[in-house]
Amino acid sequence: MRELHHFVNGQSVSGTSGRFADVYDPNTGEVQARVSLATPSELDSAVQAAVNAQPAWAATNPQKRARVMFEFKRLLEANMDELAHMLSAEHGKVIADSVGDVQRGLEVIEFACGIPHLLKGEYTEGAGPGIDVYSMRQPLGVTAGITPFNFPAMIPMWMFGVSIACGNTFILKPSEKDPSVPMRLAELFLEAGAPDGVLNIVNGDKEVVDAILDHADVKAVSFVGSSDIAQYVYSRGTANGKRVQAMGGAKNHGIILPDADMDQVVKDIVGAAYGSAGERCMALPVAVPVGKKTADEFVERMIAEARALKVGVSTDKDAHYGPVVSAAHKEKVENYIQMGVDEGADLLLDGRGHTLQGHENGYFIGPSLFDNVKPGMKTYKEEIFGPVLQVVRAETLEQAAELPSKHQYGNGVALFTRNGQAAREFASKVNVGMVGINVPIPVPVAYHSFSGWKRSAFGDHNQYGMDGVRFCTKVKTVTQRWPEGDIGDQSFIIPTMR
């Protein structure tokens, strides 16, 4: 049995806890490896390695740190195929989707290559008589990231790329469901020229998460996961004086106006709803057609489009999506489908019981489609996180826009229309953090920031982009003068610039 341990101070380190979690192949349901679950003591060893490495790394000039990022980017591109296959083997998403996972993380590394410019402060000459004022951005010290199973390449790179470029050192606690890619990223980062101890991987469960949140030397924590856990991480981390950015769940809506291009709408939403088996926090699991004619046409065409989807193993080049990540998650999604039936929604496509010949124990779920879902239903209120699309019908744009605006989650929303004025007003007023206009998955590019609202995000800073730089640094402001001759009498009056 292959064993995965930890990556600390530039080398693989065997776990000492004696506790392991199984790593499954979602395509077969078989255990393919096991990963060591760290103790607080093991976490402390990793933090101490990061503490020891941080002063020298922070003192390395930003241009040299950027060169490490440039080389890491090159290595990611050179090893893209290996990373994608490794990712698919543990997560279950198809290879093309795994390439996208790595690529979107790589784009944040590209952003971090510009760190010499991003860290520049401000300067005012002559703010007062002989007085100049300037600011500088300095690293926090040791930072940490706790990442989910659904993007084992992208989200770790969202976090550690910006933080390390800013001069911090980093502790990553990846999901125990698919830890191999984060471990490989750490090896490549070391190969790119990062010193030992700059990036450390500690595998574990809640025990090590709590140890991160309580450790005095960890100054900031980034998290992505469910909203309940995000709120817990935020509360416990901030109570211990840490900076915390914690991203939670989502229930993203796609509103379809009567003037929308229905060909585009159906193609976009089928991919956004069912791609990666719906295991994306920016998936689009709720369609809101406006008007009966629009709704009837959309539902009819979506049934045909979803039926044509091929569910296959991760390495099947013709498959549109693969299995969900685990048996427990498959059961959870299928229970939500039954709940939707019990609540009175119309189940038009039922993906339960989907099997593949030769892979009967894999965690496959076919595309499911509900019509006439109501806002009061529990299945609408909660995140299903599987290949399930719910249709909520609306009579007007105003009624449709109220749905995402009033929902507990506020990650993303999409509007499909040809009406520029309606789109402009909608984007301005909807109570959601990320808006797509004829774009079904509006994840911002790397030089903007991922910006969920409401119970989709806890904290005052967003992920990556300039908000990531702000989160990973502290601003120091210096007011200076160089007096000549007699300084004069001591003053107890607050200085002013008069």
Side-chain angles (χ1 to χ4, degrees):
M1 177 65 65
R2 182 168 59 97
E3 290 190 357
L4 300 168
H5 295 283
H6 315 295
F7 191 88
V8 177
N9 206 27
Q11 59 185 338
S12 177
V13 176
S14 296
T16 61
S17 70
R19 296 192 307 122
F20 292 87
D22 290 333
V23 179
Y24 290 86
D25 180 347
N27 297 285
T28 64
E30 296 176 353
V31 177
Q32 59 174 308
R34 65 176 191 166
V35 59
S36 182
L37 303 178
T39 64
S41 176
E42 290 175 293
L43 181 276
D44 181 66
S45 296
V47 173
Q48 293 311 311
V51 167
N52 294 336
Q54 198 272 329
W57 179 244
T60 302
N61 74 60
Q63 191 170 7
K64 289 184 178 179
R65 296 203 299 265
R67 287 171 183 160
V68 173
M69 294 295 166
F70 273 111
E71 179 62 10
F72 182 51
K73 171 186 176 294
R74 188 192 69 78
L75 289 171
L76 290 171
E77 292 168 337
N79 292 273
M80 181 69 76
D81 187 65
E82 175 202 358
L83 290 166
H85 279 79
M86 185 183 293
L87 197 160
S88 290
E90 292 183 354
H91 176 277
K93 63 178 71 176
V94 296
I95 298 296
D97 206 19
S98 291
V99 169
D101 188 330
V102 179
Q103 179 63 36
R104 289 306 298 262
L106 186 155
E107 289 167 5
V108 173
I109 300 302
E110 286 180 325
F111 170 79
C113 290
I115 202 66
H117 175 76
L118 300 172
L119 287 178
K120 289 193 302 184
E122 300 173 321
Y123 192 98
T124 299
E125 181 183 16
I131 296 176
D132 303 326
V133 180
Y134 65 92
S135 65
M136 61 183 83
R137 289 196 171 273
Q138 296 185 325
L140 303 177
V142 178
T143 60
I146 302 164
T147 57
F149 73 84
N150 59 323
F151 284 99
M154 180 183 76
I155 294 178
M157 285 191 277
W158 277 10
M159 295 178 182
F160 75 70
V162 175
S163 180
I164 290 175
C166 288
N168 301 293
T169 50
F170 202 87
I171 308 293
L172 176 64
K173 205 299 286 183
S175 171
E176 60 274 25
K177 292 182 175 68
D178 46 10
S180 291
V181 167
M183 294 287 284
R184 184 68 180 124
L185 292 177
E187 294 171 352
L188 292 175
F189 199 63
L190 188 72
E191 185 180 340
D196 295 348
V198 169
L199 175 59
N200 306 276
I201 313 291
V202 178
N203 290 298
D205 53 10
K206 184 178 183 299
E207 185 174 344
V208 76
V209 168
D210 287 345
I212 289 171
L213 297 174
D214 293 342
H215 202 294
D217 287 324
V218 175
K219 304 303 180 184
V221 177
S222 297
F223 172 87
V224 175
S226 70
S227 288
D228 288 343
I229 304 303
Q231 188 167 14
Y232 169 81
V233 167
Y234 178 77
S235 298
R236 185 160 179 161
T238 54
N240 286 320
K242 305 184 190 307
R243 290 188 182 184
V244 180
Q245 51 178 189
M247 305 293 142
K251 195 77 171 186
N252 306 317
H253 294 58
I255 297 172
I256 309 161
L257 294 189
D259 69 339
D261 181 339
M262 192 59 73
D263 290 336
Q264 175 205 353
V265 168
V266 171
K267 292 291 186 184
D268 282 351
I269 292 183
V270 77
Y274 299 114
S276 196
E279 294 174 318
R280 298 169 175 158
C281 65
M282 286 299 287
L284 206 161
V286 181
V288 188
V290 176
K292 185 179 186 304
K293 181 180 178 182
T294 305
D296 289 345
E297 180 183 1
F298 172 76
V299 169
E300 180 182 357
R301 295 183 61 173
M302 183 55 67
I303 290 173
E305 196 75 21
R307 277 180 175 158
L309 293 176
K310 181 179 181 181
V311 182
V313 296
S314 302
T315 53
D316 184 347
K317 294 181 179 180
D318 295 324
H320 293 97
Y321 70 87
V324 297
V325 72
S326 68
H329 193 63
K330 178 183 177 182
E331 181 180 9
K332 176 185 173 184
V333 173
E334 291 184 339
N335 286 342
Y336 269 117
I337 294 172
Q338 183 59 49
M339 184 189 300
V341 172
D342 296 341
E343 289 181 319
D346 298 329
L347 182 58
L348 306 181
L349 291 177
D350 187 351
R352 292 174 293 180
H354 191 98
T355 59
L356 296 182
Q357 185 175 359
H359 297 82
E360 287 79 7
N361 294 322
Y363 311 136
F364 298 97
I365 304 175
S368 296
L369 175 63
F370 280 100
D371 193 9
N372 293 307
V373 174
K374 306 301 181 185
M377 294 179 177
K378 187 176 181 180
T379 52
Y380 168 77
K381 294 178 181 179
E382 297 184 359
E383 183 179 38
I384 297 176
F385 218 61
V388 181
L389 176 62
Q390 297 173 293
V391 177
V392 182
R393 296 179 176 228
E395 293 301 320
T396 65
L397 174 57
E398 291 72 22
Q399 182 185 355
E402 284 184 358
L403 294 169
S405 291
K406 292 182 176 180
H407 204 281
Q408 64 168 327
Y409 297 124
N411 247 7
V413 65
L415 178 69
F416 297 92
T417 182
R418 290 187 176 96
N419 187 323
Q421 177 59 33
R424 184 175 184 274
E425 186 173 347
F426 174 83
S428 174
K429 294 182 178 180
V430 69
N431 186 25
V432 174
M434 290 170 281
V435 180
I437 305 299
N438 298 311
V439 175
I441 304 179
V443 178
V445 292
Y447 42 90
H448 285 265
S449 294
F450 189 95
S451 51
W453 286 6
K454 295 179 285 187
R455 293 199 75 240
S456 292
F458 299 84
D460 298 324
H461 292 89
N462 298 317
Q463 296 273 357
Y464 67 81
M466 272 308 300
D467 236 26
V469 175
R470 296 183 190 101
F471 178 76
C472 296
T473 58
K474 52 192 175 185
V475 175
K476 180 180 289 182
T477 305
V478 179
T479 304
Q480 68 176 15
R481 68 175 178 181
W482 302 102
E484 297 179 0
D486 186 9
I487 296 176
D489 296 334
Q490 189 175 25
S491 174
F492 291 90
I493 301 172
I494 188 169
T496 61
M497 299 302 174
R498 298 198 307 174

